[in-house]
Structure formats: C-alpha cells, structure tokens
Amino acid sequence: MRLTGRGIGLLASAGALLVAGFWFGYPELTLLGSAAAIAGGCAFTHAAWRPRLDVSRVADPDRVARGEAAKMTLTVRNSGRVGSTSLIAEDRCGPRPVPVPLLRLRPGHDTTVSYPVPTERRGVIPVGPLRVTRRDALGLVSLARSHGDTAKVWVHPRIHLLTAVPAGVARSLDGRVDKVPHGTITFDSLREYVVGDELRRVHWRTSAKVGELMVREDLDTSLPRIVVLLDDRADAHPKLIDGSGGTAETFESACEAAASIVAAAVREDIPVTLQMASGGGSGGGDFLDRLAEAELHGDGDLRGTTDRLRRDRLGDTLVFLTGPGGRADLGLVGALRGPYPSVVVGMFGGQGSPAGGGDGVVVLDAADGVEFAARWEGVQRW
C-alpha cells in the first residue's frame, strides 16, 4: 500500500488544519481538517478491501520452438458474494506487462483474456502472477496485490533437419578403427580401479601382473553413441546483441545446432548425451528443455569438463559446439581423440572456412545454425 502524491498532500493538509484549528480556536479549520482526515481513512479502508479472485492460466502450447506462435489464456473469477468488482489489473509475461480489464465483474462470474507470448528469443518465459491494483475514488491510496500462481513457457531453439548421423566407430583390439556393422558387448580397454567400481569388473590376471587393481572396460558396439558438448562459457561467445547483457547470437546458433543433432539422434534411436562446458549433463529426454534454460556462465571450467569426458568415455562421437572465443581451446577438445575416435567441432561466428581440421578433428565453421546444418550434411565421414 502506498500514498499517492494527492494523498500525501491531503493528509499533510489535514494535520496542519487540525493543529491550526485547535491551537488558534478556529472551528472552521478544525472541520476542514477532520473532513480531510476522514477522507484519508475512507481511502485506506476502500483500498484495504481484498477482492476474492480465482486466477487460472493455460499456455497453448507451453513448449514451442523459437519463432512459433504461443498463446496464454487467463481466466479470472470473482468468488466473492457481495457487489461487483472493477479493478485495475495487469499480468506479467516475461518483462512485458499485459493489461487485463476487470470491469464490473459480478460475484460468481469470470472473464477470460488471451494474449500472445513473445517467442522471438529462446528461453524460459515466466508468466504471472496477476497484479491487481485498487485505488479509491479520490486517488489518495493505491494498493497492489498478487493473485494466482505463475506459469512457464519453454521456447526451444530452432531445429534444422539433419539426415546424416554418425554411424559410430569402435576401436578393435589390434588398434584399427572400424565402422560398426552390428553389435555386441566387447572388450575395450583396461584402467586403474577407482572407488565405486564393481568388483566383478576387476581383471584379476592383469591386476596380479601389474601389482594394482585393473578394471575391464567393455564397449557396447551395437549402436554409436553421440556426446554433444555445448560451450556455455561467456568468454566463448563475446559478441552480444546489445550492451544490456543480451545473449550472444553465436550461443543461440550453438543451441540450435545442439538441438538439431539431438533431434537427429533421437529420430534414429541413437543414444545421445548433452553436456555443458560449465558442468552437468543429461542422457534423458529433457534435452530441449535444458537447451531452453541454457545461459552463459562466466565461471565455466572447460578443462575440468574434458577431464571428466576423458575419464567417463560417454560415447564414440564427440561434437563440441562453441563460439569465436573458444577457438583457443580446440587443443583441449582435440586431445580427446583417444577416448572419442570421432571428434567434430562446430565453430560459430568465424570466417565460414570449409570443413576440415588437424589430427583427425572435423571443424565446421558456420555463421549460424542453418549454415551449420548444411556443412554437417556435407561431411563425408558419416
């Protein structure tokens, strides 16, 4: 609750008139001061009355691709029993206020308002709560309250159709790299035992020879496995849309590329994992939601992430998606050629150089997600 400028002036005048009337013995001033004070009291009482409103909202749909249409339908019901209600209300749709007319809303009745949700930018758009403001007839007091819960609309990155999908590779025992024709569980390598490993995976003969526990690593060659590493470090995407802290366009393009690769892998029933350079990953079915929630971080540790990828060996094809600031870190990713026989780098915001790369790393330099999809389709290695 707050006093308007008019209310502050009226109450100040009421106090001055009452003091002057009683001090100097002028009943007229006392009467005017009393009337002003009574008007202020009535204004407080009127504004303090809380209307009983039931608010519900439905997003149609609540998950859309960037640029697609989405609509929010808001229903406000007057669940009170006395009198009609005329209120000033606005809903919040992200940073944008949406006016909601509530004129003469009778008890037991409701009103419905629909408005479009802005989907020009990828992200999670919070909608609500409904903010209702009550003012008295003289405009002395203003009181705002929130009604109802909030809802969210997930704006996913655009998906570009990719028909080419990595076929997968498996390292044979004699060191050759072969395409996987069909699959079995096969021996891949031995590594040192770490706390948490299952004892049934210990290779006892080798452990006896080397004097320490060695664990057998098996590889499921029945399907290729793709690991998408999205560079969400702020240093990798230095070019911002404006000076107000907007998200870099290169990061938006990287999110589109990640969504396109994940969608292609899911369509072909290929296991896929989404990892972030700042840490964390997912192998479940919430990839698009995670990409909608993705933001740039100033404290991302790419070296720590690559160390975990080297240790865990999550797949046989690694796709690293970064911006112009990540070019200096390609050596860290290229060093993963051992545990990941196939490494692809998607570089956004560069000069658009043709596909290629040293040490067996394929580099796709693209301006945006559309160009990346075209260059991805042109890779002969798949």
Side-chain angles (χ1 to χ4, degrees):
M1 182 180 295
R2 68 178 184 86
L3 284 172
T4 64
R6 184 182 301 175
I8 294 175
L10 181 69
L11 291 183
S13 300
L17 289 172
L18 288 174
V19 170
F22 283 112
W23 184 266
F24 295 106
Y26 287 99
E28 294 83 359
L29 297 181
T30 304
L31 180 60
L32 290 176
S34 300
I38 292 174
C42 292
F44 275 103
T45 303
H46 181 271
W49 176 74
R50 184 184 184 92
R52 297 180 57 186
L53 301 177
D54 296 330
V55 179
S56 61
R57 65 183 77 247
V58 177
D60 182 26
D62 62 347
R63 284 167 171 81
V64 296
R66 180 181 175 184
E68 293 183 352
K71 181 178 67 173
M72 180 65 64
T73 301
L74 175 71
T75 301
V76 182
R77 180 179 179 84
N78 184 2
S79 57
R81 297 182 179 181
V82 180
S84 300
T85 301
S86 295
L87 303 170
I88 300 173
E90 69 176 20
D91 207 16
R92 300 295 299 184
C93 185
R96 178 170 61 95
V98 179
V100 178
L102 297 177
L103 300 177
R104 290 185 290 277
L105 185 60
R106 293 180 294 172
H109 288 69
D110 56 51
T111 183
T112 300
V113 177
S114 297
Y115 56 87
V117 178
T119 60
E120 295 82 9
R121 302 295 302 170
R122 173 195 57 84
V124 181
I125 302 176
V127 183
L130 182 70
R131 189 172 180 85
V132 177
T133 303
R134 282 185 59 82
R135 293 189 179 93
D136 63 288
L138 298 177
L140 305 178
V141 180
S142 175
L143 176 63
R145 292 190 179 97
S146 297
H147 294 262
D149 298 328
T150 59
K152 293 182 179 179
V153 176
W154 281 263
V155 181
H156 296 155
R158 283 189 290 258
I159 295 177
H160 307 288
L161 179 62
L162 301 179
T163 58
V165 181
V169 292
R171 289 175 294 167
S172 59
L173 295 180
D174 59 0
R176 294 179 293 108
V177 176
D178 302 318
K179 291 290 183 180
V180 179
H182 51 273
T184 56
I185 302 297
T186 60
F187 171 80
D188 181 45
S189 63
L190 291 173
R191 62 171 175 82
E192 295 181 3
Y193 174 86
V194 296
V195 177
D197 286 336
E198 299 179 5
L199 291 179
R200 63 184 178 88
R201 294 172 54 193
V202 174
H203 197 272
W204 297 106
R205 181 175 300 178
T206 304
S207 300
K209 290 181 179 180
V210 302
E212 57 181 317
L213 291 179
M214 301 297 292
V215 176
R216 176 189 178 100
E217 285 282 2
D218 294 326
L219 179 67
D220 183 1
T221 61
S222 59
L223 285 174
R225 300 183 66 88
I226 302 175
V227 180
V228 179
L229 176 59
L230 178 63
D231 195 348
D232 58 349
R233 299 172 301 155
D235 292 342
H237 306 274
K239 297 180 180 179
L240 300 182
I241 297 173
D242 50 39
S244 61
T247 305
E249 277 297 340
T250 55
F251 185 58
E252 296 299 320
S253 299
C255 289
E256 291 183 9
S260 302
I261 297 170
V262 167
V266 172
R267 185 175 62 250
E268 298 294 332
D269 292 328
I270 296 177
V272 62
T273 301
L274 176 64
Q275 299 284 324
M276 300 293 181
S278 61
S282 172
D286 59 346
F287 297 108
L288 293 179
D289 282 356
R290 291 193 65 232
L291 288 173
E293 298 167 357
E295 297 178 350
L296 292 176
H297 297 272
D299 56 350
D301 181 13
L302 182 60
R303 184 177 296 275
T305 301
T306 55
D307 289 343
R308 287 193 298 272
L309 289 175
R310 180 182 294 106
R311 181 182 65 249
D312 297 339
R313 295 185 180 183
L314 301 177
D316 56 10
T317 299
L318 174 66
V319 183
F320 178 54
L321 304 172
T322 186
R327 189 176 295 273
D329 299 314
L330 293 186
L332 289 175
V333 179
L336 296 175
R337 277 276 295 153
Y340 299 88
S342 179
V343 177
V344 181
V345 175
M347 181 73 63
F348 297 91
Q351 302 300 321
S353 59
D359 299 328
V361 178
V362 176
V363 179
L364 306 180
D365 210 332
D368 53 24
V370 176
E371 186 175 345
F372 173 83
R375 293 187 180 277
W376 174 280
E377 294 292 283
V379 176
Q380 302 297 323
R381 187 175 295 189
W382 303 149

